[in-house]
Every structure is written in C-alpha cells, then in structure tokens.
Amino acid sequence: MSLTGISLTEPSFFDTVKKQFLYKLKGRLGLFLAMIGVQIMALLFSLSGASSHGMGDNLLYFSFNEFSSDQVIWFTFLWIFVVAVLITTKDYQNIDFTFVANRLSSHLSNVGFLITAAVIGGVTAMLSGILLRIVIYFTRGHYLLSENFIAAPEVVLTGIAVTILYLLLVSALGYFCGVLVQLSKVFIVILPALYIGTVDFLARELPVIVKVYNFIIGENSLALLAVKVLITTALIYACSCVLANRLEVR
Amino acid sequence: MATIDPLLVILFAANMLILVLVVLFVVKSGCFSLQNKIQFWLIAGYILLLLASPVVIQMLPKENFADERIKKVSEKDLYVQTDLYTIAQGASPEQIKGVFVLEQWEFPYNGSTLNVVVRPLYEYDVVIVVERKDSADGKIEVVNYASKPIVELLDLSEFMKPHKVALDGNVLKVTAPERLEIELGMFKNEFVVSQILGDTELQSAPWRYGSQLIYLRVPADVEVQSEASVHFVEKQ
C-alpha cells in the first residue's frame, strides 16, 4: 500500500508542475506578444542610433552615428520585470486553482515560465540586433561602415548568454517585488522609492551599491557571471517562496 | 579567425533545445483556441524572422558599405602636414602634400582693377590668396585648393563641393558651396557583449575635416580690391 502511495504521489507533483507550466505558457502567450511589441518599439527607437558625435566647419560636417540593439535589451529587461510582477498578482495566481496544486508547485511552474520567458527574451533581444543591422543596411547603406556589421558567432552567442542571465536575474527580482507587494501594499510605495534612492541619488556614495555593481556588471568572465547570477537568482526565488508562504499563512 | 568558447556553444544549443521543446510541448499539449493559435503563430513568425536574420545578413552585398566604396588612406598619410594657411604665408600649394585642386577657372581680363566679392560674407571666411604674375597676360587664373577630409581613415574628398567663381565686369564673385553634411554609421557591440568581450571602439586615428582656399593669379597690371580678407603673396 505504501509503495503504491509513493509511486502515485511522487510523479503527480512534477506532473502537476508540468501541467501548470504548460497551462500558464498557453494562457500567457499574450505576454510574449507584448514582448514582441516592446522589442519592435525598441528597434524603432534604435533606428536613430545609440550615440552620435561629429565635427566640421562651414563647408563640411561629418557626424558619426553608432547603432546597437542596447535599447531592445533594456526594454526586454523591463518587459520581464513587469511579467514577473504580473504573475504574482491574484488574477494570474487564480489559474492555479484549476489544478490540484500546492504553493510550491505554483512557484515552480511560475519559475519555469519565467526561465522560458528569459530564454525566449534573451535569444530574440540579441537576434533583433541582427534584424536592426539589416533594416539599417537598407535605409542608410550608403554611408554605413562594414565594421561590426556581421557580428561573429562568438559575439552573438555571448550576447545571448549574458542577456539570458540578466533576464533571469531581473525576473527573479520582479517576482520578489511582486511577492512583497502581495504581502503588503505599502511596498508599492517603498520599492520605487528604494530604487530611485539607491540607484539614482546614492549609487555613487554607497559602497554596497558599488560592490553589487562590481559583483555582477563588473564581471568579465562568462562562467563566473553565470555562477554568480544563477546562485543569486536561486536565492531570490527561495526568499520569494518563503515570503509567499508567510502570505498563505496569513 | 576567432575561436568559439565551447561553453557558449553548449549554452546556445541548450537555448535552442529549450525553445524547440517549449514549442513542441505547447503544440502537443492539447488544442488551442483560435486566439491562442493566432498568438502562437505571430510569436513563431517573429522568432523565425529573427532566426533567419543571421542567414540573410550574410547574403547582403558588401560593396554598398562606405568603407568598400570610399578610398582609404594610411595612418602615415593622415599625419602629413596639410595646413592650407601656409599658402597664405607664401608656401607653394604644389609643394604641400595632401593638398589637391578641387576646381579651377580661367577668365580673360583686360581691366586694371579687380574687385573680389565673397558670398556669404561674415558667415563664412574663405582664405583668398592673390599672386601677381610677372607679365600682363590678360588672364585671371583661379584655383580652388582643398585638403582631404579624413574620417576613420576614409578619404572623403569626393564629397567636397568646390566654390562657385564667376567674373562679371570687374567683379570676381566667389560663392561658398552649400554646407555638406555626411552622417556615417557604424554598429557597436551591445553592452552585454562588451562586458565579456570588451568594447569595440572607433579607430584611434584622428579626424580631419579638410579645408578650402581660393588662389588667384592675376596679371601684373591688375590691382585687386576686396571687402574680404585677401592675402598677397610673391610669385613662387
């Protein structure tokens, strides 16, 4: 009896997680459409160039415009943050009640969804840089320099890997913020204030911010960055789960 | 050729595998509503378009790029002294490296005075150098000299427009060309790439925007007057 009980219980948990994950993926396809919208908007912004400088006199003026898909990547970060917050809201959590599920399976399926979103977001954000190159080739080909036009596979793959890592981190932060807001609506005010306070005004003065910056953004090794981001992400998700369980108890 | 980090290949393969698995899972796990189907194919179409981009970009003709069409100079050429103003101080234009003739004119002239008018005056200060010839040969020779504008080691001389010079009675009218604006474009690596692989920077070579000078050779018996600043030099 006990053996039968174990064999029935064990797969059913992961089966539930899988089913929830797939159900959420299907039910939230609109979020990926939003990602496409956000990326296309960022691509349109990127057409005017990332930075420009020039020189000249009364007869001749040269300006130099640098293009990159940085904006697409930043917009994708923003998108995944919003998505991560959004899926912690009650409207999105209600989807779990259609399954025989517990809080853990719900979290795991959410994390699975966010990992999938990070992978899709990372691949599309970096590849959109190549689409941007093609569009600019046809719109401004006459005065375009070939340098960096065809990105080496190494460059594209590095970009995809790092973007996915950042998206994982941003999604974990978004999820954490979402859980905090579910815990108390006070965080709707505290979190933006905290962000503006630490990032905009005190960033240069707070050694802890500099340390965090160097820990992630200052890391030049892909392997080390991956280890740091994955551990940090896992820790943030663990904190989110613990906090969310408190929410359930309340 | 750059070597690819095996870790990157594994990561990329894993990404692609996850993408394929997700698509398969979603497709196999039951029927879609019509709205879901439209959403799914819009997303799939976008991803396919992006996946096709690396192939399409390889097929684009390279000869359209500015650095393929425009003549390049070496760094050595860049540091050649091409100060046109030394001509105003008596240096021979032919002896200054990097200076070239952009346009030249010749006008028959029998008058005794020549009034040089520059347009637009004050907004623009062209250097006009006048050399009086040994003989009264009845000819005014005008040469529009220029030095090469060089950006990112590209010689952009072909884009320079010369002045317009016309003789009307005893008035030689020198009109500045319209200001030409050239916007060069280049791609730089995304910040996520430069964090790991370093920044892509523009060539460290300095830029030169080139300049122009009008050189007049007038007959020995002609007096030159002008409201603009004119430099007189002896015959070289």
Side-chain angles (χ1 to χ4, degrees):
Chain A
M1 279 298 283
S2 61
L3 275 175
T4 316
I6 289 165
S7 64
L8 280 174
T9 314
E10 281 298 312
S12 69
F13 174 74
F14 289 105
D15 206 37
T16 311
V17 173
K18 196 183 101 181
K19 272 186 182 161
Q20 271 184 305
F21 165 70
L22 288 171
Y23 191 81
K24 284 174 181 178
L25 205 58
K26 274 201 305 175
R28 294 168 184 169
L29 277 181
L31 293 177
F32 290 100
L33 272 184
M35 178 201 76
I36 295 174
V38 160
Q39 290 189 347
I40 289 174
M41 194 167 68
L43 273 174
L44 291 175
F45 287 145
S46 305
L47 287 176
S48 58
S51 65
S52 179
H53 50 280
M55 63 172 244
D57 61 5
N58 292 333
L59 298 181
L60 203 54
Y61 183 83
F62 304 117
S63 60
F64 213 87
N65 217 341
E66 287 183 297
F67 298 96
S68 85
S69 57
D70 281 356
Q71 286 195 61
V72 183
I73 296 168
W74 282 113
F75 274 52
T76 311
F77 287 176
L78 192 68
W79 164 78
I80 206 159
F81 185 85
V82 173
V83 166
V85 172
L86 210 61
I87 63 171
T88 60
T89 57
K90 284 199 170 62
D91 285 348
Y92 277 84
Q93 291 291 358
N94 285 343
I95 207 169
D96 295 330
F97 293 119
T98 51
F99 295 93
V100 182
N102 60 27
R103 187 58 73 174
L104 186 63
S105 72
S106 170
H107 282 308
L108 284 179
S109 58
N110 278 342
V111 170
F113 175 78
L114 287 174
I115 290 172
T116 311
V119 171
I120 292 174
V123 173
T124 52
M126 260 318 279
L127 289 182
S128 70
I130 299 174
L131 185 66
L132 178 73
R133 282 166 165 81
I134 296 171
V135 174
I136 287 175
Y137 177 88
F138 285 110
T139 52
R140 310 178 170 234
H142 200 61
Y143 291 119
L144 199 62
L145 299 183
S146 60
E147 204 176 329
N148 286 329
F149 183 73
I150 295 179
E154 185 193 26
V155 171
V156 180
L157 298 180
T158 305
I160 289 175
V162 178
T163 310
I164 291 173
L165 288 172
Y166 277 126
L167 285 169
L168 287 173
L169 189 62
V170 173
S171 63
L173 284 170
Y175 197 72
F176 183 71
C177 292
V179 169
L180 281 180
V181 170
Q182 292 307 311
L183 206 64
S184 168
K185 299 292 177 221
V186 176
F187 284 106
I188 294 176
V189 180
I190 293 176
L191 289 174
L194 204 66
Y195 171 78
I196 293 166
T198 52
V199 174
D200 287 355
F201 300 127
L202 302 171
R204 289 187 199 125
E205 291 160 36
L206 274 180
V208 67
I209 299 291
V210 178
K211 275 184 185 167
V212 169
Y213 181 90
N214 288 337
F215 182 69
I216 302 286
I217 299 165
E219 181 54 65
N220 299 325
S221 156
L222 181 60
L224 280 178
L225 181 74
V227 170
K228 287 176 177 180
V229 169
L230 292 176
I231 290 174
T232 312
T233 304
L235 285 173
I236 297 171
Y237 276 127
C239 288
S240 305
C241 288
V242 171
L243 277 174
N245 284 341
R246 257 193 77 187
L247 181 72
E248 193 177 33
V249 170
R250 287 203 319 169
Chain B
M1 197 181 153
T3 52
I4 299 174
D5 190 344
L7 178 68
L8 287 169
V9 179
I10 294 166
L11 273 171
F12 186 69
N15 290 338
M16 291 303 158
L17 192 68
I18 291 172
L19 271 179
V20 171
L21 285 177
V22 166
V23 171
L24 285 177
F25 261 134
V26 173
V27 172
K28 281 186 73 182
S29 62
C31 56
F32 280 125
S33 68
L34 181 65
Q35 196 196 351
N36 266 355
K37 266 185 184 166
I38 294 169
Q39 286 180 346
F40 175 77
W41 286 115
L42 277 173
I43 295 162
Y46 179 70
I47 292 174
L48 275 176
L49 174 74
L50 292 180
L51 288 175
S53 300
V55 181
V56 173
I57 203 167
Q58 300 282 347
M59 290 153 66
L60 297 175
K62 306 288 176 290
E63 54 268 25
N64 285 352
F65 287 109
D67 45 350
E68 295 290 331
R69 290 181 297 107
I70 301 168
K71 196 172 69 180
K72 277 202 159 190
V73 296
S74 68
E75 286 214 35
K76 208 176 93 185
D77 291 337
L78 189 67
Y79 292 102
V80 168
Q81 187 67 33
T82 53
D83 187 0
L84 279 176
Y85 294 96
T86 56
I87 297 172
Q89 290 158 3
S92 169
E94 286 77 21
Q95 285 168 1
I96 304 174
K97 283 181 184 173
V99 170
F100 64 99
V101 175
L102 192 60
E103 185 75 79
Q104 53 188 332
W105 302 263
E106 198 176 282
F107 304 102
Y109 193 71
N110 296 317
S112 57
T113 57
L114 178 71
N115 193 14
V116 180
V117 172
V118 177
R119 290 290 177 268
L121 190 63
Y122 305 123
E123 292 168 31
Y124 161 74
D125 50 344
V126 64
V127 177
I128 296 177
V129 178
V130 179
E131 176 198 315
R132 190 165 288 119
K133 291 188 258 188
D134 289 339
S135 60
D137 60 355
K139 274 192 301 187
I140 295 171
E141 294 164 41
V142 185
V143 185
N144 188 160
Y145 287 106
S147 58
K148 291 176 180 174
I150 298 167
V151 175
E152 291 299 299
L153 295 178
L154 295 175
D155 178 359
L156 298 171
S157 310
E158 63 177 275
F159 299 107
M160 282 184 117
K161 285 183 180 171
H163 286 70
K164 284 177 190 158
V165 178
L167 183 67
D168 184 14
N170 71 335
V171 176
L172 185 77
K173 193 175 173 186
V174 178
T175 311
E178 273 183 31
R179 191 187 200 216
L180 189 69
E181 293 191 4
I182 295 174
E183 191 182 285
L184 289 167
M186 198 188 88
F187 283 89
K188 65 170 188 172
N189 282 344
E190 286 72 16
F191 69 97
V192 284
V193 175
S194 50
Q195 180 180 341
I196 305 297
L197 300 177
D199 262 328
T200 49
E201 287 193 0
L202 294 172
Q203 306 251 17
S204 54
W207 295 2
R208 303 174 85 146
Y209 52 84
S211 47
Q212 295 193 32
L213 178 141
I214 301 292
Y215 198 97
L216 304 179
R217 284 192 182 90
V218 297
D221 56 346
V222 172
E223 280 297 314
V224 176
Q225 299 170 342
S226 179
E227 56 190 351
S229 160
V230 174
H231 303 265
F232 290 90
V233 292
E234 296 296 316
K235 183 183 176 298
Q236 301 300 312

